Amino acid sequence: MNVQKLIDTARTLVAGDKGLLAMDESTPTCNKRFAKLGIAQTVEARRTWRELILTTPGLGEFISGAILYDETIRQSKNDGTSFIKLLTDNGIIPGIKVDTGTKDLAGHPGEKITEGLDGLRERLSEYRQMGAGFAKWRAVITIGEGVPSRGCLEANAHALARYAALCQEAGLVPIVEPEVLMDGYHTLEQCALVTEAALHEVFGQLFRQRVLLEGMILKPNMVLPGIDCPIQADVDEVADATVSCLLRAVPGAVPGVAFLSGGQSAQLASARLNAMNVRWGSKAPWALTFSYSRAIQQPALDTWKGREINGAAAQKALYHRAKCNSLARRGEYREEMEKP
Ligand code: 13P
């Protein structure tokens, strides 16, 4: 294991004003999003969409790494240039989602476990040879009546730690993603308690599996009230609840925290990240950045609608979201920037 290389890659991913672009939707998830907009659910349509994203002029100004999916990492531009080369030439590190999705956790109704450890060592080695610099694994935690259970938190944290150790062995920086879902009626305080408990479990397991904290990135949820909670929180409350929670549970050796967007609107995802950097940026031991999928891609996808004629406008929308999130890293994002 080349420790210095892992540390350098992790630091590069969260350096400057950049963040990560998650474009690792599985085929069923990508198809679901396409279906809503009447876009054909074919390999070629998915390839075209991903080519549009990756050829957005100037994307590398704001994006340090792009998380791909197994189908995508093997694909190329129309002219034959591989997506990996396209990324690398633009100074963007290619990454790869390596979990194989969630299944019901036996004996735990309503809870999920993420799978994908079997054969992972061999898959990581192949991705490394293809040119990936980092990987991602997502665990899902639901808040509801009597959940999450201790068993669910432990099983998911253990899988995340096994995955992270295997990544580092292969020379890949692990993005460790324990996502507490926004779905439900829970309050901001309940989300804070569950997120803190989940993170404590994750870092306990990472320690036991001998994961080098300096060579990983944490990808957590923001601390938010459930989407159906009658009491919603303002931007500053979310920023304070999120960073306070992380300060209690995330060791300062971790170089960066790159949030998922989790279904919040693109503008809120920028505003909340901005507030965290304005209010906590100088006090937090880790970089506070983004690793958004929907909050970067969705406005562009809504513009594109699968039609070539909309391509340039879609790339403009994507560039705009990447830029807004980069400004949010510096605490310089403003609502007025959203006006056309
Ligand atoms: P969202 O930003 O859409 O939540 O996606 C991030 C991600 O990578 C989910 O695993």
Side-chain angles (χ1 to χ4, degrees):
M1 176 164 103
N2 185 337
V3 168
Q4 196 53 49
K5 179 91 176 74
L6 284 172
I7 295 174
D8 291 347
T9 305
R11 285 192 184 150
T12 304
L13 285 170
V14 298
D17 301 325
K18 296 186 185 180
L20 297 152
L21 166 62
M23 45 185 294
D24 58 327
E25 302 80 17
S26 64
T27 299
T29 301
C30 190
N31 283 347
K32 225 189 303 165
R33 292 186 191 157
F34 277 15
K36 273 196 192 143
L37 293 164
I39 304 168
Q41 291 120 68
T42 60
V43 180
E44 183 49 22
R46 291 191 296 275
R47 195 206 59 77
T48 306
W49 170 237
R50 273 128 180 191
E51 172 168 341
L52 183 148
I53 294 176
L54 295 177
T55 53
T56 296
L59 194 64
E61 294 165 37
F62 313 119
I63 302 296
S64 57
I67 316 174
L68 307 173
Y69 182 60
D70 184 72
E71 176 179 275
T72 320
I73 200 169
R74 300 170 194 281
Q75 288 175 328
S76 304
K77 253 179 86 178
N78 244 344
D79 68 5
T81 315
S82 74
F83 283 169
I84 294 242
K85 178 162 171 21
L86 194 56
L87 282 165
T88 314
D89 287 351
N90 284 320
I92 301 174
I93 304 176
I96 179 76
K97 167 197 172 81
V98 298
D99 66 72
T100 56
T102 60
K103 291 275 165 62
D104 290 341
L105 179 63
H108 294 72
E111 297 193 281
K112 299 281 182 195
I113 180 71
T114 302
E115 297 194 331
L117 287 172
D118 288 352
L120 183 57
R121 177 176 273 130
E122 292 71 27
R123 287 194 292 128
L124 291 173
S125 155
E126 187 196 358
Y127 291 136
R128 181 84 194 104
Q129 277 160 27
M130 288 171 83
F134 69 101
K136 186 198 99 167
W137 177 292
R138 171 175 175 257
V140 175
I141 292 138
T142 306
I143 303 181
E145 231 10 77
V147 298
S149 65
R150 183 98 237 142
C152 171
L153 292 180
E154 278 178 17
N156 275 293
H158 180 72
L160 274 168
R162 291 267 329 274
Y163 138 83
L166 281 162
C167 282
Q168 292 189 335
E169 179 191 86
L172 295 167
V173 167
I175 307 275
V176 173
E177 181 181 8
E179 176 175 4
V180 178
L181 295 177
M182 274 170 66
D183 306 312
Y185 294 87
H186 55 269
T187 61
L188 178 87
E189 291 73 21
Q190 283 172 299
C191 180
L193 284 174
V194 170
T195 303
E196 190 181 336
L199 290 173
H200 279 306
E201 197 58 49
V202 166
F203 281 98
Q205 293 285 348
L206 289 170
F207 174 69
R208 263 162 262 155
Q209 295 302 322
R210 304 179 176 169
V211 173
L212 178 78
L213 299 186
E214 291 85 347
M216 63 160 275
I217 307 288
L218 178 71
K219 175 163 174 167
N221 52 285
M222 293 184 193
V223 172
L224 302 169
I227 28 178
D228 297 318
C229 176
I231 307 163
Q232 288 297 316
D234 68 28
V235 165
D236 288 348
E237 284 169 335
V238 167
D240 291 355
T242 301
V243 184
S244 308
C245 172
L246 295 174
L247 283 170
R248 293 192 195 107
V250 183
V254 174
V257 170
F259 293 98
L260 59 95
S261 59
Q264 52 184 312
S265 75
Q267 296 191 13
L268 269 178
S270 298
R272 287 164 170 165
L273 178 64
N274 188 68
M276 285 185 225
N277 279 301
V278 168
R279 296 163 74 84
W280 296 89
S282 57
K283 289 171 237 158
W286 355 261
L288 290 165
T289 187
F290 57 92
S291 175
Y292 297 156
S293 160
R294 281 163 287 181
I296 294 182
Q297 288 189 52
Q298 199 59 48
L301 187 62
D302 292 342
T303 305
W304 181 54
K305 296 189 185 72
R307 298 172 60 188
E308 201 180 334
I309 192 169
N310 299 329
Q315 288 188 326
K316 218 172 131 202
L318 193 90
Y319 181 87
H320 177 65
R321 287 268 50 92
K323 183 174 180 181
C324 285
N325 290 311
S326 169
L327 288 168
R329 267 211 68 168
R330 293 217 301 255
E332 290 174 10
Y333 166 79
R334 303 281 171 273
E335 223 178 286
E336 303 84 76
M337 292 167 184
E338 304 293 355
K339 294 195 183 114

